[in-house]
Amino acid sequence: MITLSNDWIWTAVAVALAAGVGLLLVFRRISGTRAIGAVLAIPALLYAALLNASWSARLDGAGVKVDAPFSLTRQSGAIAWSDVQSVRLVQSGVRRPFWHLEIAGDGKTLALPVQSLGRDQIQPFVELVLSRSEASAQDAAAVRAQLPFAVGRASLTPSVRLAGDL
């Protein structure tokens, strides 16, 4: 079984920033437009912390399961390996493109943020998904062709932790 989860440090950063903004509001007696901005920033930062702390994905013998209970953009659900219809490596975002591995089947499309993994983990992880899902040769070839681009864009400091054996 392999699990993916966000690194706790980003949750801590968002909570610390929200607390800092709250303290500024209380002790500096900020008023006017700055106070409105600060009041709006606190829930946004806390939502970011909640979103980051609650997202996880699991790959096991049965299939893929993604838990994103508070996400507005990521779909939660589970897809059995036998129900996988396609596996694609897609780029999303405009200003700062980001690579996701999309697994579609059973009426759902689950996205796994492969670019957030460590550079040395992306290729074995993607190959594992391709082999388990028995993706079509066409899907597998397309994913393997795009893989160098995703690895090239990957951060040197991964923000998603991968636990388990590849």
Side-chain angles (χ1 to χ4, degrees):
M1 178 172 70
I2 295 173
T3 58
L4 300 172
S5 60
N6 284 318
D7 200 359
W8 64 270
I9 192 71
W10 299 112
T11 302
V13 166
V15 169
L17 286 173
V21 170
L23 289 172
L24 278 174
L25 272 174
V26 171
F27 292 116
R28 305 263 357 262
R29 293 192 163 88
I30 298 174
S31 61
T33 309
R34 289 184 181 162
I36 294 170
V39 167
L40 294 175
I42 292 172
L45 289 166
L46 291 176
Y47 174 73
L50 182 66
L51 182 65
N52 194 40
S54 65
W55 181 88
S56 67
R58 186 182 79 225
L59 283 75
D60 56 21
V64 180
K65 182 178 181 188
V66 174
D67 290 319
F70 300 103
S71 179
L72 300 174
T73 58
R74 292 185 186 166
Q75 187 175 14
S76 294
I79 302 174
W81 291 121
S82 59
D83 294 336
V84 172
Q85 295 168 345
S86 70
V87 178
R88 299 180 324 143
L89 195 57
V90 297
Q91 194 175 23
S92 61
V94 178
R95 290 181 58 200
R96 186 168 178 247
F98 197 80
W99 290 94
H100 295 276
L101 188 66
E102 281 189 355
I103 302 170
D106 200 24
K108 300 178 203 79
T109 301
L110 303 178
L112 302 174
V114 294
Q115 185 175 324
S116 298
L117 295 171
R119 287 185 180 199
D120 58 335
Q121 296 173 329
I122 294 175
Q123 185 162 357
F125 178 77
V126 170
E127 290 294 338
L128 175 78
V129 171
L130 289 174
S131 67
R132 291 251 178 109
S133 67
E134 299 175 7
S136 70
Q138 192 175 14
D139 278 354
V143 168
R144 287 186 182 106
Q146 292 175 318
L147 201 52
F149 299 109
V151 172
R153 296 277 308 172
S155 172
L156 294 175
T157 56
S159 60
V160 171
R161 286 179 294 153
L162 185 140
D165 293 328
L166 286 175

